[in-house]
Amino acid sequence: STSHSISVRVISLVSRSLCSTMMEETTVNVEQVTLSEKVREIVDGVEIERYNLVLFDFDKSDLTPRHRETVAAIAKAIPDGATVTVRGFTDRIGDPERNRELARERAEKVAAALGVPSDRLTIEATIVPPYDNDTPDGRYYSRTVQIEVRKREG
């Protein structure tokens, strides 16, 4: 994986009457991961691979052609007999009940596109964002679905 630090300039309006702005520069660490470099670990003889590669627009759960391409590549990499958990997430903006529903919609759509048999598939949804939501970037990366693939070694 490749790690990058990017500088983000945040501009916020302080006072409409003064038309002044406050500028703040923030550094965000971004790790670029390809499908061949996904997060992998082994716990108690079980190989676990995690993919966080599907990002959604605000308040959306539609799979774009790019999403479908990514999910298809992940589906091809899932070994026979592996179990899969698909977790949907949202940012913390808006009604928590709507966010829970949206997280589930995202997870269900990705799970359907994966095509994993239901006896090896778990779908979860949470309103707890996976990233810091105090920044626009953190909120953007929280609009995701995590795909976790578990296969017993050997």
Side-chain angles (χ1 to χ4, degrees):
S1 65
T2 306
S3 188
H4 304 280
S5 280
I6 58 172
S7 200
V8 179
R9 183 155 296 175
V10 179
I11 301 172
S12 56
L13 187 62
V14 174
S15 167
R16 286 179 188 230
S17 61
L18 297 176
C19 293
S20 63
T21 59
M22 180 175 71
M23 297 180 86
E24 174 186 330
E25 201 156 297
T26 304
T27 299
V28 177
N29 290 320
V30 177
E31 186 176 0
Q32 180 180 0
V33 179
T34 65
L35 284 177
S36 62
E37 300 171 341
K38 72 264 176 201
V39 177
R40 180 181 178 264
E41 65 180 308
I42 298 174
V43 177
D44 296 328
V46 176
E47 180 180 348
I48 303 169
E49 297 177 347
R50 289 185 186 90
Y51 304 86
N52 290 336
L53 301 174
V54 180
L55 298 170
F56 294 87
D57 288 332
F58 179 75
D59 201 29
K60 301 287 184 208
S61 63
D62 300 328
L63 292 181
T64 66
R66 177 88 170 162
H67 290 146
R68 291 185 186 286
E69 181 181 311
T70 300
V71 172
I74 293 169
K76 287 180 187 173
I78 296 173
D80 290 338
T83 59
V84 177
T85 301
V86 180
R87 286 184 193 90
F89 297 93
T90 64
D91 58 29
R92 69 174 181 219
I93 294 175
D95 177 60
E97 202 48 49
R98 170 63 185 138
N99 283 345
R100 186 181 320 282
E101 178 184 306
L102 183 60
R104 176 153 295 282
E105 287 172 13
R106 290 172 175 168
E108 287 173 348
K109 287 181 180 183
V110 168
L114 280 172
V116 175
S118 61
D119 63 327
R120 295 190 292 120
L121 178 69
T122 302
I123 297 172
E124 298 176 357
T126 180
I127 60 169
V128 178
Y131 300 101
D132 178 4
N133 268 219
D134 290 336
T135 66
D137 289 324
R139 289 188 295 275
Y140 173 74
Y141 288 113
S142 291
R143 297 179 204 126
T144 190
V145 167
Q146 179 186 77
I147 301 166
E148 183 177 278
V149 179
R150 292 176 172 255
K151 176 144 173 72
R152 184 145 306 274
E153 285 197 315

